[in-house]
Amino acid sequence: MVICGKEVNFKISNKKHAARLGNALKTLEKGEEKVRSMDTKDLFEILDVFIGIFRKFFIDATGVDVLENCEDAEEAKEAYLQFITDVSEQKKKFLSPYSLDRIK
C-alpha cells in the first residue's frame, strides 16, 4: 500500500506485522492519553505532539516513516485512517470463508 507517497509493505496476515500493529496501537493509546493530559494551551505544541504520535505509530507498525517532514496534523490523522481502513479490508479478505469450490 502507498501512504503519503511512500510504499508500505504491511500484510495483516503476516504474524510479525500483526504483532507490530498490536504494539503500535497500544503505544498510540498512551500517546492519546498524553495529549488529553497536556496542561499547555499552546496549539503548536499540541499539534507537534499529535503529529509525533502518529509518526511513531507508523514507524512502530510498519518500519516506514511515512510522516517524515509532516507539519499538518490533519494529514497525519488522514494517513492513519487510510492505513487502518486498508488493514481492515485486508482482514475482511483474509478472514472471509474459504470454499473448496475454488479447488478443481
Side-chain angles (χ1 to χ4, degrees), residues 18-34:
R20 286 194 330 225
L21 176 61
N23 290 333
L25 287 169
K26 288 175 187 171
T27 302
L28 181 71
E29 287 177 15
K30 291 176 186 174
E32 289 173 339
E33 291 171 14
K34 177 181 178 180

Side-chain angles (χ1 to χ4, degrees), residues 90-99 102:
Q90 286 183 20
K91 281 171 85 172
K92 283 181 192 174
K93 285 181 183 177
F94 176 72
L95 296 175
S96 66
Y98 290 95
S99 170
R102 293 173 42 188

Side-chain angles (χ1 to χ4, degrees), residues 12-41:
I12 196 61
S13 58
N14 180 306
K15 66 182 188 176
K16 289 181 182 178
H17 293 190
R20 286 194 330 225
L21 176 61
N23 290 333
L25 287 169
K26 288 175 187 171
T27 302
L28 181 71
E29 287 177 15
K30 291 176 186 174
E32 289 173 339
E33 291 171 14
K34 177 181 178 180
V35 169
R36 286 190 194 101
S37 67
M38 288 178 68
D39 290 335
T40 186
K41 298 204 186 300

Side-chain angles (χ1 to χ4, degrees), residues 53-77:
I53 290 167
F54 283 119
R55 186 173 181 207
K56 180 164 177 36
F57 167 81
F58 278 109
I59 293 168
D60 291 351
T62 69
V64 179
D65 187 358
V66 300
L67 296 177
E68 182 180 26
N69 301 321
C70 179
E71 295 184 6
D72 188 319
E74 187 64 28
E75 287 178 20
K77 180 181 171 184

